[in-house]
Amino acid sequence: MHTDADILTLCQWLSPSYPVGAFAYSHGLAAAIEEGTVTGPQDTEAWISDVLQHGSGLNDALFAVAAYNAQDIDELVGIDATSRAFCASSERLKETQLLGQAFATVTGDTWELDLKQFTYPVSVGHAARLQNLPVLLMTKMFLQAFASNLVACATRLVPLGQTDAQRLIRNLTPLCAHIADGAQQGGLDDVSSTAFLADVASMKHETQYSRIFRT
């Protein structure tokens, strides 16, 4: 069971206003929009759904759960190393490192936690364990925040109307819950990535001429 305090703490951690700078990253989506692969609401939903199910969405959920269940610092370091290894580009690695560092700094200072400098999903999972927050709820909200951030990127660049954007988040929420449920029974052996277009887009973004996002 989770309490109101659990829900509100996770809402705070995963809110767009939490000072980790997630708004500055498009996860390669900006490159896909630039080259015309993503042009409207349906393309955006298909792109984000694929990333959630077959790319870093699923992987980050598995890393967050593994970090939550880790028994010691050595296990956390190993999970973090695997998380870094599955970043398909230098920008993706920088994204998860900088988000993780920012999250660890502000969360550690605010809640007086001793948080190490891990990648973002590992940092969130570890902090949730230290605060005894429910792991399933953490995973669901982590994934919805990830999807919402990508929708916000598309809102600015596709562009999407505000109503279309909210419909997309609504449509993606059951998928986030489904992936989170599956991640509870998964482990690092289940980590994989077949979202090849998203990986290639993140590589292309590194040399994109005009950019407003860091990835």
Side-chain angles (χ1 to χ4, degrees):
M1 293 294 294
H2 47 258
T3 66
D4 290 346
D6 294 336
I7 297 170
L8 294 175
T9 297
L10 286 167
C11 283
Q12 181 176 351
W13 286 4
L14 298 168
S15 163
S17 66
Y18 205 61
V20 298
F23 64 88
Y25 301 93
S26 83
H27 211 75
L29 180 56
I33 295 170
E34 172 72 16
E35 65 182 11
T37 302
V38 176
T39 61
Q42 290 183 330
D43 294 338
T44 303
E45 184 172 348
W47 182 276
I48 298 173
S49 295
D50 283 348
V51 173
L52 284 168
Q53 295 179 87
H54 308 298
S56 55
L58 171 61
N59 287 346
D60 282 359
L62 291 167
F63 293 136
V65 172
Y68 187 97
N69 293 325
Q71 299 301 306
D72 53 45
I73 188 64
D74 289 338
E75 188 175 356
L76 277 169
V77 168
I79 296 165
D80 187 67
T82 305
S83 174
R84 293 169 190 269
F86 269 84
C87 293
S89 68
S90 62
E91 279 196 352
R92 275 286 298 112
L93 178 59
K94 182 182 295 185
E95 175 185 334
T96 193
Q97 286 176 329
L98 292 179
L99 287 174
Q101 290 169 10
F103 179 85
T105 298
V106 66
T107 307
D109 289 347
T110 304
W111 275 267
E112 299 181 350
L113 302 174
D114 181 18
L115 297 176
K116 309 300 181 185
Q117 298 294 302
F118 294 129
T119 55
Y120 187 44
V122 177
S123 290
V124 174
H126 181 46
R129 173 63 179 268
L130 293 178
Q131 285 298 105
N132 198 32
L133 300 175
V135 61
L136 178 57
L137 182 64
M138 176 272 294
T139 315
K140 290 178 178 179
M141 294 180 67
F142 179 90
L143 287 168
Q144 190 192 46
F146 171 69
S148 298
N149 191 65
L150 293 186
V151 170
C153 165
T155 302
R156 283 171 274 179
L157 293 182
V158 169
L160 298 178
Q162 294 294 337
T163 301
D164 282 336
Q166 294 307 310
R167 286 195 186 105
L168 282 181
I169 296 171
R170 178 203 64 191
N171 293 346
L172 291 165
T173 294
L175 178 59
C176 292
H178 175 71
I179 295 168
D181 286 337
Q184 308 309 305
Q185 285 74 48
L188 296 189
D189 288 342
D190 300 299
V191 172
S192 67
S193 182
T194 55
F196 302 122
L197 288 179
D199 291 342
V200 171
S202 72
M203 298 172 194
K204 287 182 176 180
H205 188 268
E206 295 174 359
T207 57
Q208 188 170 312
Y209 175 71
S210 177
R211 306 192 301 174
I212 66 171
F213 292 93
R214 300 185 70 174
T215 65

